[in-house]
Amino acid sequence: MITFLVSIALLIVGYLTYGKYVEKTFGVNTGRETPAYSHGDGVDYLPMGEKKNALIQLLNIAGVGPIFGPILGALYGPVAFLWIVFGAIFAGAVHDYLTGMISIRNRGAHLPELAGKFLGKVMKHVVNAFAILLLVLVGTVFVTAPADLLHNMTSSWLALPVILLVIFAYYLLATMLPIDKIIGRFYPIFGALLLISAIGVGVSLIVTGAPIPELSFTNMHPDNAPIFPLLFLTISCGALSGFHATQTPIISRTTQREKQGRRIFYGMMIAEGIIAMIWAAAAMSLFNGSAGLNEILASGGPAAVVSEVSIAMLGAVGGTLAVLGVIILPITSGDTAFRSARMIIADYIKVPQKKIMSRVWIALPLFVISFALTRIDFTLLWRYFSWANQSTAVIALWVGAMYLFLSRKNYFIAAVPATFMTMATFTYILNAPIGFGLDLNVSYVVAAIGTVAVVTAFIIAARRGLQKDIPLEEELKQTA
């Protein structure tokens, strides 16, 4: 298991080295007042401690994505490890850090507003629609996944619709109550359970000497699905996820100091990458290769793999606790998905959220739509979620690149992964049955032309931005 252990070590080293470089490139202002203080409203804007914010951020971003995605990605073999490691260090963590810090500099603004400011007014409306679509899909996916796991755990005696209604009721409360009432109070406990379950599976893999395969560039997918672009959309959370760009502003509104950003935003993405590594390794090692894994996925989906791995690695009691940890993951991302959607819509239509009824009439339609979507097949939902998710990540990376360009700093740390993922998302939607269904080679060519066009448009917009002298941050008084 040399590849597995080296990959974990590289993720940690990446946080300690490249994470510091990204922080230095951005330029932390230790004396700048954060939105938690400058815009405090007692609901969404209020200061919370660094450790609490870090655990909340981890739970916000780590839904079923860093578990289900890597399990599905494990079908490709150990090449998936490369994307998790290098994607997390050079794309995902950069994406999370920049969106979080730029939001802090702009009164906790969400991605649509940041896109409008740095990429043009048209992009504000485009990204707003994308973000709402993504968040409703996320909320729906993160309702159905834990509901299925709970349904299985209770031997199906508890009706699935009842479980769905209970989860939605919790979501409604977490979406509308002040952030410190439920999320700030219970997430640190949930975070501990999440970490214990992931570490438990990881340690068991090492102690039992599980046959984790070593690095190979061979495509081991039973259906011979192409690595590019499918692997880079299958494994999103754990490597790079646009969903995170919708979550970081939640914590940018509760962060006490800019210096805490590297641990909260960059660090928690690396932690998610480690979780993804553990579950990908478990899926690769415990089912006699990709054919065996594909068989259990076909019969019970990723939830069945989670149950099998947890019981096999940790026994009946430990396995049950691990499954509970996996159930908590999506629930604690689904609630913040709806909370984020409520905040984005409120910002877009400029409705203050201090009064609870202002939150209620925005949130309720979202839950009605999501409940209707739970009737759709999970696999189909996941495919649309994957594309919407990575397309949002592309936009967020271009926003980060523009901010750094206008700051006259090294914008390549965001522009390079943005270019790569632009190509991947274009290729996917051109080739996929849920998209245009073009031949793969034709899709490559058209996607390459589209990527060149996007990069050219970015360069033109960036040069115009320098001439317009766009303000990079909201003017605030400097504190001691």
Side-chain angles (χ1 to χ4, degrees):
M1 56 182 69
I2 294 173
T3 302
F4 173 69
L5 295 175
V6 169
S7 295
I8 299 291
L10 284 174
L11 285 166
I12 296 170
V13 171
Y15 168 71
L16 297 173
T17 56
Y18 197 67
K20 283 188 176 179
Y21 173 74
V22 171
E23 179 185 56
K24 184 178 179 181
T25 300
F26 182 83
V28 169
N29 184 344
T30 55
R32 181 180 171 81
E33 193 175 43
T34 61
Y37 298 102
S38 63
H39 291 74
D41 64 1
V43 178
D44 298 317
Y45 291 89
L46 51 89
M48 294 194 296
E50 181 181 11
K51 289 182 181 178
K52 182 178 285 189
N53 273 330
L55 279 173
I56 293 173
Q57 172 70 2
L58 178 60
L59 284 167
N60 285 357
I61 64 176
V64 287
I67 298 176
F68 283 18
I71 286 173
L72 294 169
L75 290 169
Y76 293 90
V79 69
F81 291 154
L82 290 177
W83 171 230
I84 293 172
V85 172
F86 294 108
I89 294 171
F90 297 106
V94 173
H95 168 282
D96 290 13
Y97 181 80
L98 291 178
T99 51
M101 295 304 292
I102 296 170
S103 177
I104 285 176
R105 292 279 176 89
N106 289 272
R107 59 176 176 70
H110 276 272
L111 183 60
E113 188 172 344
L114 296 176
K117 180 174 183 179
F118 295 107
L119 299 181
K121 291 182 179 180
V122 173
M123 287 303 296
K124 178 179 180 177
H125 306 300
V126 171
V127 177
N128 193 73
F130 245 103
I132 298 301
L133 169 64
L134 173 61
L135 288 167
V136 171
L137 285 173
V138 166
T140 306
V141 167
F142 290 176
V143 167
T144 55
D148 287 340
L149 284 168
L150 281 169
H151 191 56
N152 293 335
M153 281 185 68
T154 57
S155 301
S156 303
W157 66 264
L158 190 58
L160 190 59
V162 174
I163 298 173
L164 287 171
L165 286 173
V166 170
I167 295 175
F168 270 121
Y170 164 75
Y171 280 1
L172 189 61
L173 290 174
T175 298
M176 294 190 297
L177 290 176
I179 194 168
D180 61 337
K181 300 304 180 187
I182 292 181
I183 294 173
R185 187 167 297 173
F186 296 109
Y187 270 34
I189 300 170
F190 294 158
L193 181 57
L194 156 66
L195 292 173
I196 289 169
S197 63
I199 292 170
V201 172
V203 170
S204 295
L205 288 172
I206 296 170
V207 171
T208 59
I212 302 172
E214 299 296 353
L215 180 61
S216 168
F217 295 100
T218 305
N219 184 355
M220 298 181 181
H221 199 289
D223 299 327
N224 203 33
I227 290 176
F228 187 90
L230 294 182
L231 176 62
F232 304 96
L233 280 90
T234 302
I235 302 179
S236 52
C237 299
L240 169 68
S241 170
F243 172 62
H244 299 186
T246 68
Q247 300 302 290
T248 49
I250 294 176
I251 303 304
S252 75
R253 299 182 182 196
T254 62
T255 301
Q256 296 168 316
R257 292 179 296 278
E258 285 193 4
K259 190 66 178 175
Q260 298 172 348
R262 182 165 73 93
R263 181 180 180 184
I264 294 171
F265 301 124
Y266 196 101
M268 292 307 100
M269 178 61 225
I270 294 299
E272 189 186 72
I274 293 173
I275 294 170
M277 279 294 307
I278 289 170
W279 283 100
M284 287 182 205
S285 63
L286 299 181
F287 301 101
N288 299 316
S290 56
L293 175 60
N294 197 39
E295 185 177 333
I296 191 170
L297 283 171
S299 62
V305 176
V306 170
S307 298
E308 292 276 350
V309 168
S310 299
I311 300 299
M313 291 284 94
L314 302 175
V317 176
T320 300
L321 289 174
V323 173
L324 284 173
V326 174
I327 289 170
I328 285 170
L329 270 174
I331 290 176
T332 54
S333 288
D335 59 5
T336 51
F338 287 114
R339 187 181 188 90
S340 182
R342 189 255 304 164
M343 292 161 68
I344 288 174
I345 293 171
D347 288 350
Y348 188 71
I349 60 179
K350 302 187 186 305
V351 175
Q353 295 293 279
K354 199 156 188 175
K355 294 180 180 179
I356 191 165
M357 287 310 299
S358 298
R359 294 171 240 156
V360 169
W361 71 261
I362 292 176
L364 279 179
L366 296 173
F367 289 108
V368 172
I369 294 169
S370 181
F371 188 76
L373 288 174
T374 60
R375 319 301 294 178
I376 298 176
D377 178 60
F378 175 84
T379 305
L380 183 63
L381 274 178
W382 187 266
R383 288 172 185 164
Y384 278 108
F385 159 71
S386 295
W387 177 74
N389 186 40
Q390 296 303 66
S391 297
T392 304
V394 166
I395 294 167
L397 282 167
W398 284 121
V399 169
M402 183 66 76
Y403 181 94
L404 293 174
F405 184 94
L406 298 177
S407 304
R408 291 179 167 82
K409 294 176 180 176
N410 180 15
Y411 64 95
F412 288 105
I413 62 172
V416 170
T419 302
F420 177 81
M421 288 307 300
T422 299
M423 178 70 183
T425 52
F426 274 165
T427 304
Y428 177 81
I429 201 62
L430 288 167
N431 174 249
I434 67 168
F436 294 94
L438 299 179
D439 175 77
L440 184 59
N441 290 325
V442 174
S443 299
Y444 286 145
V445 173
V446 178
I449 294 171
T451 302
V452 170
V454 169
V455 172
T456 302
F458 170 80
I459 294 171
I460 294 171
R463 290 175 177 172
R464 288 177 179 170
L466 283 177
Q467 296 173 353
K468 292 179 181 178
D469 195 25
I470 298 172
L472 297 175
E473 56 199 50
E474 184 183 81
E475 291 295 329
L476 290 176
K477 64 181 181 180
Q478 297 297 300
T479 59

